[in-house]
Structures are given as structure tokens and as C-alpha cells.
Amino acid sequence: MTDLERKIVYQIYPMSFADSNGDGIGDLQGIIAELERLARLGIDIIWLSPVYKSPWFDNGYDISDYCQIDPRFGTMEDMDELIAKAREFGIGVVMDLVINHTSDQHEWFIKSKDPSSKYRNYYFWREQPNNWTSFFGGPAWSYDKEGGGYYLHLFAPQQPDLDYHDPGVIDEIKNIMKFWLDKGIAGFRCDVINIIWKDSLDNGRRSLILTGIEHYLSREGTHGILKELRRDVLSKYDCFTVGETVFVDTQMAGDLCAPDRGELDMVFSFEHMEVDQILVKWFKIRFRPNKFFHVISKWQKAIGWNALYLENHDQPRSASRFIRDADFRSEGTKALAMMLLTLRGTPFIYQGQEVGTGNRELKSMQDIRDVESHNIYALARKIGFPKWLAWRIIKRTTRDHARSPVDWQNDTDVLETYRDLIRFRKELPVLIYGKYNEVLIRGGLFVYDRFLDEKSIRIRVAISLGSKPVRYDPGMAMAIFYSTYGRKEYDGALKPYEGIMFIDEQSSGR
Ligand code: TEU
Ligand code: CA
């Protein structure tokens, strides 16, 4: 995509973003009404979580028709209107492409139950299951009487996996992509894209997390599919792709988004989201800022250009998660904003993050709608966890935190900080094209430089996620360019949860 590096993306989870007709569910007209506000924030692209026709078992990540809009959100005319009006504001629309699986209500799956149908091999139908387990807990195979066998689903049973060994599948996907790109969308966020190719259905090594993963994680077949989609479809449009890639290390991620390989433009990796969790998201451990910073810095050094994010619709809110001291919640969200918008890569802001939204109050399992949480709860109970402990896990980790309606009245000075930082990215090329260099990580303090070359201006960013002031000497020639506390004078220490951008005094001109 032209000027991709300059873009800032804003993720919308349509169900809880803006409701235009008062039925309690966000919708496309609601998004249209908010475009002006989004333009004022300074973002360039909105990514919509799925708005396709869906029985809504996994909140739209189970699609029953890729070329229709779910009635709860409006109509295809509303969608066309959204794309057109967004363009008037200079905003592109990115769609969520969920192609590892369809809904079990998708026509292809229903027809595939007939063994003589051409759709039979679109899915994995077998007489006997293997030992693989699913991302949502429990076995990855379910028996279907009508289909006369077991079928594979790496997520919920309502989300059967597509089998890319059948060339018909990739042709269907290409047509879907063209359908949307011809409407003028700006690209795709590709759901769990690095697991779409399954090498074999052999039994997997038994694992507490995911049994079977070695047969489908970032396999050569996936690379082949991504290259083919780029060659035959994406390269013909001005668009970009970001892949959601699970369980990737820097090597795998680098392979998926290396500019010369022609696969994805960037990926969402998870390592920085796992620093406060063990066994995926089942158990929460204390959030350790230094560990968090080390992981982020490692990825900055390893990948030339990547997606940057602190939140999405699957994660608890960063304001509740990465700011241990609730007294500094507003300060902390500003410091996190500075980090997000000054690292190298494409920043993704999740709806409500720009006003410092925190986790919601949840009282019992009755408040939970997330299918993943219900499965994990049931599993935890089954293996003997007492109710209180199972509930504690869910309460901390449930995806519902991110999915409840945003309180737009929340905190305007956080919003001001976001606006300022977004403006700096537009004004200072060094924040976009500059190299990244780690300066130090210690005691909850993260310091790094962005610079174009040795002679031009250098921005030094210092982010503190600690409740106490922390002494730091940036060197003689550095003055405050911007502080999240709004101060201009530096006294040799960062205040609690402060973020500061220093600039070379000779070059600052302020
Ligand atoms: O998520 C992929 C994924 O790996 C999830 O299991 C994620 O790690 C987990 O939910 C974190 O709690 C994608 C979508 O983002 C998610 O909303 C969908 O439920 C999932 O794929 C299936 O499509
Ligand atoms: Ca509505």
C-alpha cells in the first residue's frame, strides 16, 4: 500500500462501538456517524472486526456468508456508504478475513455433509478423530451424524476448519477477497493465518496447551498460500495485509512478513501479551514491566517493520493490565500511548483505548458471553478447580473486557495525549522512518532512540511504568520535546508513570 508506514490503524469491534438505532448493538450507521471524530483523532485506517453474516457463536468469527452483512449491523448499502464516507475523510477500511474456518452454518459445510458433494473435501471429514486439542479447550474433533463422521475444528465445534489441500477452497477465498477489494477496501486483517495449512492429521505430541500444533504451525504450505494470494489478488490492488499469527517467534514472524518474500505486510505477534500469563491465558502472573520491555525491544530489533499493539478484542484492557498502581491509571495510559506511537512499526489503537478504558466489573459467570471463557471455565471445573478459582481465572482473562460498550465520556486528557502523539508522527519523519535503538531497560524504565542517521535529529523516548520517581540522565544535549505530564523542564528524574520524548537541543528548534 502506498505510504503504508505512515498509517495509523484503529480497530473497531462493531458490536460495542456505536449503536445508531438504539437496539443495544453497535452497527454500521453508528460507525459512519463517528467517522468525523475518528478523523479528528488522526487515524488513517479502520479495521472492522467481522460484520459478515454469522450465527454469532464466536461473535462473528464464525462466518456463514462472506459476501453479506449481518442484519444486526445493517445492510450492504450501509457498508458501501461506510467505505465511501470513510474515503471522504481520508480513512481506509480494512476487513477481517477469517479463512481458517467457516461457520458450521456456512453453505459449504452444510453441503459437505454429503460425501458425494464437491464440498466434502473443503473440510476435514474423517472416520476417526486424532488426538489434537482445540484453542478453546477440549478435543479438536466433533462427530456429526448427518456428515457420517468426525470433522476438525481448531476452535469451537461451530467453526469447522477449511482444508486447503482442495484447490477449490483457495479459489473461493480469492473470489471473496476480490469481491471486497473491488468495493474499495484498504486490505485485510487475516485471522489466525499461520495455522491454515495442516501438513498431516497424524497424532500430535501430547501437550497441556495444544496437542497437534507441530502439524500446522507456520508450515511451508501456509507460506505457499500467502504467496499465491499476494500474486493473484492482493498485488493488483492498493491494499495491505496484517496477519494475526499465533505462537510465532521472531524467526517465524520475520519469514511471514519479510518484504522480499511477498507474503504479509506485517503480523500481530503475541509474546509481549504473554508476559503476565502462563499456559496461554489460563493463569495470570504478576505483570513485570522489565520483562515486557525486553520482549518489545527484542521484536523491535528483530523485525524491520511490524504491527504494534497493546489491545484488541481478545485481550483485557491495557489500562487495567499494564498499570499496576491504580492511582496512576491516567498517567500510565498516557505513557503506554507514547510507547505505542513512538516505536517503529504500524500502531493499532483499539476502540476506547484512546480514552483510557479499563476492564469492566464482572460479578459471576452469568455476566460472561465469551465462548472461550465458558469452555475454559467448564474445563477448569472438570479437572477439579473449585468454583472460586475457576471464576478468578475467567474474571481476569475473559475477552468480554474488551468487548463491552465503550464509555466515551471517560477521560479527555488521555485523548488529548493520543491526539498530540499522533500529530507528532505526522510531523516528524524520524518517528516513522527512523531506526530503533535500545538505550536501557531497568527498574520499570524503558529508554530508546529513534534516529534517521548520525547527523540528523534524534528522539529519545523514556517510558516509566513505576509508581516512584526514577532518576535518569539523558546526556547533556537533550531537552524535553514532550512529556505526558505536560512539563517543559527536566529535573533529572521521571515522575511516576511518565513518558518523555527528549530531543537534541541543537536540532529541536523549540
Ligand atoms: O484469535 C485467535 C486466537 O488464537 C485466540 O485463541 C486468541 O489467542 C484467544 O482468544 C486469546 O484469548 C482469533 C480471533 O481474534 C478471535 O476473536 C477468534 O475467536 C479466533 O481467532 C477464532 O476465529
Ligand atoms: Ca444497532
Side-chain angles (χ1 to χ4, degrees), residues 303-473:
I303 313 273
W305 191 271
N306 208 5
L308 308 166
Y309 76 99
L310 298 173
E311 290 186 24
N312 62 36
H313 64 289
D314 290 332
Q315 302 287 339
R317 290 287 188 175
S318 62
S320 302
R321 182 176 182 187
F322 302 135
I323 299 160
R324 285 194 306 205
D325 189 335
D327 291 345
F328 291 105
R329 181 91 158 244
S330 156
E331 288 79 0
T333 53
K334 293 178 194 173
L336 288 172
M338 180 177 284
M339 185 179 79
L340 180 70
L341 288 153
T342 58
L343 287 169
R344 189 179 153 92
T346 301
F348 284 70
I349 300 167
Y350 182 65
Q351 65 180 36
Q353 186 179 343
E354 77 277 27
V355 292
T357 304
N359 284 348
R360 65 185 264 214
E361 292 278 333
L362 294 164
K363 290 194 193 65
S364 72
M365 277 311 283
Q366 257 117 53
D367 292 344
I368 303 287
R369 78 151 284 150
D370 178 11
V371 42
E372 180 182 66
S373 302
H374 280 286
N375 288 355
I376 293 178
Y377 183 84
L379 210 67
R381 292 287 293 138
K382 203 169 125 193
I383 58 177
F385 282 46
K387 276 191 179 149
W388 66 268
L389 185 57
W391 168 239
R392 213 164 96 181
I393 295 169
I394 300 307
K395 195 176 154 177
R396 281 170 166 172
T397 58
T398 180
R399 303 188 297 179
D400 286 350
H401 287 306
R403 298 173 177 195
S404 44
V406 178
D407 175 9
W408 295 114
Q409 312 309 321
N410 207 359
D411 188 338
T412 50
D413 46 289
V414 175
L415 183 61
E416 281 311 313
T417 304
Y418 267 92
R419 283 216 190 104
D420 289 344
L421 291 162
I422 289 172
R423 204 179 60 242
F424 299 151
R425 269 184 76 96
K426 313 248 158 180
E427 289 168 357
L428 299 169
V430 60
L431 289 180
I432 293 171
Y433 305 107
K435 296 186 199 58
Y436 165 88
N437 185 40
E438 177 185 314
V439 176
L440 69 85
I441 295 172
R442 67 161 151 78
L445 180 67
F446 181 21
V447 183
Y448 51 90
D449 280 348
R450 299 296 310 278
F451 62 104
L452 285 162
D453 55 58
E454 292 308 324
K455 286 185 292 292
S456 59
I457 67 164
R458 174 179 296 256
I459 300 269
R460 175 161 295 182
V461 184
I463 305 287
S464 167
L465 290 185
S467 311
K468 300 219 171 68
V470 37
R471 297 209 63 77
Y472 170 68
D473 177 6

Side-chain angles (χ1 to χ4, degrees), residues 53-64 102-103 158-159:
K53 194 140 187 283
S54 163
W56 222 251
F57 193 81
D58 184 20
N59 284 20
Y61 283 88
D62 47 331
I63 298 169
S64 55
T102 67
S103 158
Q158 290 79 358
Q159 295 166 299

Side-chain angles (χ1 to χ4, degrees), residues 252-271:
M252 276 184 207
D255 286 348
L256 287 159
C257 64
D260 54 337
R261 289 177 58 125
E263 298 183 23
L264 296 161
D265 289 306
M266 59 188 88
V267 305
F268 292 124
S269 63
F270 284 81
E271 196 179 347

Side-chain angles (χ1 to χ4, degrees), residues 14-15 18-30 71-74:
M15 189 177 87
D19 176 17
S20 72
N21 59 358
D23 65 357
I25 304 171
D27 44 52
L28 295 176
Q29 284 299 332
R72 78 189 70 215
F73 294 128

Side-chain angles (χ1 to χ4, degrees), residues 108-120:
W108 305 335
F109 187 69
I110 294 171
K111 290 192 169 152
S112 80
K113 294 184 184 187
D114 172 1
S116 66
S117 147
K118 78 156 184 169
Y119 295 105
R120 184 66 171 185

